[in-house]
Amino acid sequence: MSYKLFSLKQGDDHDLSQWNSRTLEGELNGFENRTLSTLFEKYLTGKKFRILEGGCGYGAWCDWFEIRGHDIIGIEYNQTIIDTAKKFNPTVSVELGNILDLKYPDSSFDAYISLGVIEHFENGPQPALKEALRILKPDGYAIITTPYLNPLRQLFSHPIRSIFFFFARLIGKKTYFWEYRFTENELVGYIKDAGFEIVEVSFDDYPKNESRRHIGLWADWFLLRKNDGDIWELNTLGKSILALFKLFPSKWYCSGLAVIAKAKK
């Protein structure tokens, strides 16, 4: 069963606070050696793809795909984030929009990517997935990532977080829904129910040969982040803990699930 994660900030404020500390250059640096980059190179290659990214932030993946010769459009709901993206790169293909109601015709894209977005809808990810299916061509690829309810989170970080928010509410703090963290069966089930055929289920983080960065540890444990480091970069303690965790399967402590699926129409 999914874990419902709360924040002390409302959705827009939480979103902006996350993006304010990030840069386009830092995002692009973080793509090096990331498992997601390998998956994109595996499935979205061999021709020029027309791609839509649902929830693109500063458009770093848009830059990444354009460099590789693809035609991509990024959709972002927050105008402030778009304005910052345009300051980093005035030509980035990022547009204001709603991934639940895309302005594009049916069957108009070869691929749809959505990276850490669909988990933010408290009523569930199905409407976003159905809209993705609509704009995809038959057999078009959908590559979807969400935070993963891994064993480390179930045993440690989520219980600690739940205790913190219990006491925060007890003293009158307001709390706001931020995201779900899904099990593999839940996420795969949602994607299948939307009309997709599953091609592969992998994880979104860094492989075991990466010793400097880790998304899951960085995201969940503030004390493991390197001060003034790149996004996902760990400090000395974080690197030591990561080295220990490498004795275990990556799915025990990785940040996200990555599902590759095809639109069946």
Side-chain angles (χ1 to χ4, degrees):
M1 184 177 178
S2 60
Y3 178 79
K4 200 170 185 179
L5 192 143
F6 291 88
S7 170
L8 295 176
K9 299 177 181 178
Q10 293 190 35
D12 284 358
D13 291 338
H14 189 127
D15 209 9
L16 287 171
S17 69
Q18 286 198 325
W19 284 103
N20 283 342
S21 62
R22 295 159 78 164
T23 66
L24 178 61
E25 182 182 5
E27 293 287 302
L28 290 168
N29 288 341
F31 296 166
E32 183 181 353
N33 201 32
R34 186 168 164 177
T35 55
L36 197 54
S37 302
T38 304
L39 289 170
F40 287 150
E41 289 169 346
K42 178 179 178 180
Y43 289 100
L44 304 183
T45 190
K47 69 171 188 178
K48 183 177 182 177
F49 281 79
R50 187 170 191 238
I51 304 167
L52 187 140
E53 181 179 4
C56 64
Y58 290 153
W61 285 111
C62 294
D63 276 10
W64 191 89
F65 278 106
E66 284 178 349
I67 289 168
R68 287 156 179 78
H70 298 294
D71 178 14
I72 184 165
I73 297 167
I75 301 299
E76 174 56 49
Y77 83 102
N78 190 302
Q79 186 63 52
T80 301
I81 293 174
I82 293 174
D83 292 342
T84 305
K86 297 289 186 181
K87 290 177 183 176
F88 286 130
N89 178 3
T91 64
V92 68
S93 345
V94 174
E95 299 178 355
L96 186 67
N98 179 359
I99 68 167
L100 303 181
D101 185 21
L102 296 166
K103 66 181 184 181
Y104 299 99
D106 296 357
S107 303
S108 54
F109 288 88
D110 302 302
Y112 176 93
I113 64 174
S114 183
L115 313 175
V117 177
I118 65 170
E119 70 274 9
H120 293 297
F121 297 102
E122 192 168 7
N123 292 328
Q126 298 93 330
L129 291 169
K130 286 285 188 182
E131 185 68 348
L133 183 77
R134 182 187 68 77
I135 57 95
L136 275 172
K137 297 175 183 177
D139 286 330
Y141 280 111
I143 300 180
I144 308 291
T145 74
T146 68
Y148 176 39
L149 188 57
N150 64 42
L152 178 65
R153 284 172 170 161
Q154 293 182 66
L155 291 172
F156 295 103
S157 59
H158 288 169
I160 292 170
R161 191 177 183 93
S162 295
I163 291 168
F164 171 82
F165 277 90
F166 171 79
F167 283 105
R169 295 183 187 106
L170 206 61
I171 63 173
K173 294 280 189 181
K174 288 187 176 180
T175 61
Y176 305 91
F177 169 77
W178 173 240
E179 68 183 22
Y180 289 108
R181 291 179 169 180
F182 297 119
T183 66
E184 182 174 330
N185 285 341
E186 284 174 320
L187 182 58
V188 167
Y190 286 134
I191 294 172
K192 281 183 176 179
D193 288 347
F196 291 94
E197 176 185 297
I198 305 300
V199 176
E200 182 181 348
V201 180
S202 185
F203 68 93
D204 175 23
D205 213 302
Y206 289 92
K208 290 191 175 183
N209 63 3
E210 172 64 54
S211 60
R212 194 163 63 95
R213 292 185 175 98
H214 193 270
I215 301 173
L217 295 180
W218 191 97
D220 288 355
W221 304 96
F222 296 99
L223 293 176
L224 303 184
R225 299 178 183 181
K226 182 179 179 181
N227 290 334
D228 300 320
D230 286 337
I231 187 76
W232 318 132
E233 188 174 2
L234 301 174
N235 58 24
T236 301
L237 176 60
K239 291 174 187 176
S240 300
I241 291 173
L242 177 60
L244 177 64
F245 282 175
K246 286 180 181 181
L247 298 172
F248 303 98
S250 295
K251 272 197 173 180
W252 288 20
Y253 58 95
C254 68
S255 176
L257 287 171
V259 179
I260 298 87
K262 280 189 173 182
K264 303 312 294 182
K265 296 185 175 183

